[in-house]
Amino acid sequence: MKTTKPPARSRYDELHDKYHTILTTKAGTRYERLAALVFKALEDRSVVIHDMELTGEDPEVKHQIDVSLEVAGSTRRIIVECKDFDISDGKVGLAIVRNFRSVIEDTGADVGIVITCTGFTEDARKYARSKGIKLAVLRLFESKDMQGRVVKIMVGVTIQQPSNARASIHLSEAALLRFRSDLASMGLTERTRNTDPVYFVNGGERRLFNEFLTAQMNDAIEPAGPKALQIKVPSDGWLVQVAQNAPIPFDGIVVDFDVDEEQYAFEVVSNRVAELILTTFGTDDIIIFGDQIEGHAIDPDTGALI
């Protein structure tokens, strides 16, 4: 029994089916759809339609258009001819571009684009240039395309924080006696902990003793600065208070402390997958990522990109 050999599949057929599944075996259809998905990803507000028919001067003559774009905010129509020559590895020649010119003229399209994955002959390029037809290459993204591009970013972070702080509060003799008495009444010593009810107060503001001094120490730390510092904190209207006892005036505080430093390095790499690259001759290449291909679908009834 004779078996029918399935048609050869291009790499663009495989790429298309990675993101969207269709049943047709018609050669080139998947490449057309990929082109339509790319145009929609790049111009989301435009109306993009895959595989539509346009008539010209004679309404009986219908032209099959691979991809049609109606540019958002204008009445301009762009039509696109797609050629998947991945298997043959041939270039788009003069005849294809010349035939497409007649379609552009008959349909009254504002712009015509021929797009392929393999390139164009010199005659095709010269003819397109003379007739105002745009040419573009939409091909698979390759490792060589990463040359000159940012692949990853290394971020270095240095965290500096005060440690081993030794604070000396300057009090008059009477104020010192009151301070020690207030601490003793709460079962505290002069070595305060973060949770001890010892505060700095100034008008309506009230802050924990260690929290207040930590902020002062953090402000004093400079990048690449010394690892041991001393700061002098004037009273500037602040008073020291133990629990709910009466606030006590002081002259100032001297804090000696060390600076601990920890360094971390982070590698920032995008998880996006580059699948295609679009070259439009004269502008920078545009990388097309998998999420852009996957982000739109084609209505099976109308061919419209949604």
Side-chain angles (χ1 to χ4, degrees):
M1 182 177 179
K2 186 177 180 181
T3 59
T4 302
K5 185 178 180 181
R9 287 171 59 84
S10 78
R11 293 176 296 170
Y12 300 91
D13 294 336
E14 301 294 340
L15 176 60
H16 175 279
D17 289 354
K18 177 179 176 181
Y19 295 99
H20 300 278
T21 302
I22 57 173
L23 297 177
T24 184
T25 58
K26 183 181 176 182
T29 297
R30 287 170 171 81
Y31 185 75
E32 296 169 9
R33 287 169 59 92
L34 281 175
L37 290 162
V38 167
F39 281 113
K40 184 63 174 177
L42 297 178
E43 295 289 343
D44 184 57
R45 293 176 56 244
S46 296
V47 177
V48 181
I49 299 176
H50 167 250
D51 191 17
M52 73 177 298
E53 290 184 346
L54 290 178
T55 58
E57 294 182 3
D58 185 347
E60 298 297 319
V61 178
K62 297 180 179 180
H63 301 283
Q64 187 274 330
I65 307 299
D66 293 339
V67 181
S68 171
L69 292 88
E70 292 181 9
V71 181
S74 74
T75 58
R76 296 175 70 241
R77 180 186 292 277
I78 300 172
I79 61 174
V80 184
E81 177 80 357
C82 302
K83 294 298 179 184
D84 179 3
F85 285 174
D86 183 50
I87 294 176
S88 67
D89 199 32
K91 292 186 175 183
V92 170
L94 174 61
I96 291 174
V97 180
R98 187 164 50 201
N99 290 342
F100 186 54
R101 182 199 176 202
S102 66
V103 176
I104 298 170
E105 293 179 341
D106 196 34
T107 60
D110 298 287
V111 179
I113 304 173
V114 182
I115 192 167
T116 185
C117 54
T118 51
F120 302 86
T121 64
E122 186 62 27
D123 285 344
R125 295 181 66 170
K126 288 179 179 178
Y127 181 81
R129 186 164 52 248
S130 69
K131 302 302 180 182
I133 300 171
K134 297 182 182 297
L135 305 180
V137 172
L138 179 66
R139 61 171 176 81
L140 293 175
F141 186 88
E142 302 174 359
S143 57
K144 66 180 182 180
D145 295 317
M146 286 307 305
Q147 294 180 9
R149 302 180 188 274
V150 176
V151 179
K152 61 183 178 182
I153 299 173
M154 296 299 299
V155 179
V157 178
T158 300
I159 299 177
Q160 295 177 309
Q161 56 187 1
S163 66
N164 194 27
R166 291 86 64 192
S168 300
I169 185 167
H170 293 183
L171 298 158
S172 68
E173 185 174 349
L176 179 59
L177 290 174
R178 282 184 54 198
F179 183 56
R180 288 174 175 171
S181 175
D182 289 346
L183 289 173
S185 69
M186 301 295 300
L188 304 176
T189 68
E190 293 180 39
R191 294 181 60 86
T192 62
R193 297 166 298 182
N194 291 337
T195 56
D196 288 344
V198 181
Y199 303 93
F200 285 103
V201 294
N202 190 342
E205 191 172 355
R206 192 169 190 253
R207 298 178 63 183
L208 278 169
F209 188 93
N210 286 346
E211 178 187 283
F212 179 86
L213 292 183
T214 298
Q216 302 292 325
M217 289 185 284
N218 284 333
D219 289 343
I221 296 175
E222 296 182 3
K227 298 300 181 287
L229 291 174
Q230 181 183 86
I231 59 172
K232 296 180 180 180
V233 182
S235 60
D236 286 340
W238 290 90
L239 305 171
V240 64
Q241 180 183 37
V242 179
Q244 300 301 322
N245 293 298
I248 302 169
F250 67 94
D251 296 326
I253 299 174
V254 175
V255 185
D256 293 283
F257 64 98
D258 301 327
V259 179
D260 287 345
E261 184 175 283
E262 296 182 6
Q263 295 183 339
Y264 301 91
F266 301 94
E267 183 178 284
V268 181
V269 181
S270 172
N271 59 4
R272 302 181 79 191
V273 178
E275 297 285 18
L276 295 165
I277 189 164
L278 177 65
T279 301
T280 54
F281 304 114
T283 61
D284 293 336
D285 294 345
I286 301 172
I287 297 175
I288 309 301
F289 297 92
D291 58 289
Q292 293 176 289
I293 299 172
E294 192 174 30
H296 294 280
I298 300 177
D299 187 308
D301 297 321
T302 65
L305 276 288
I306 54 178

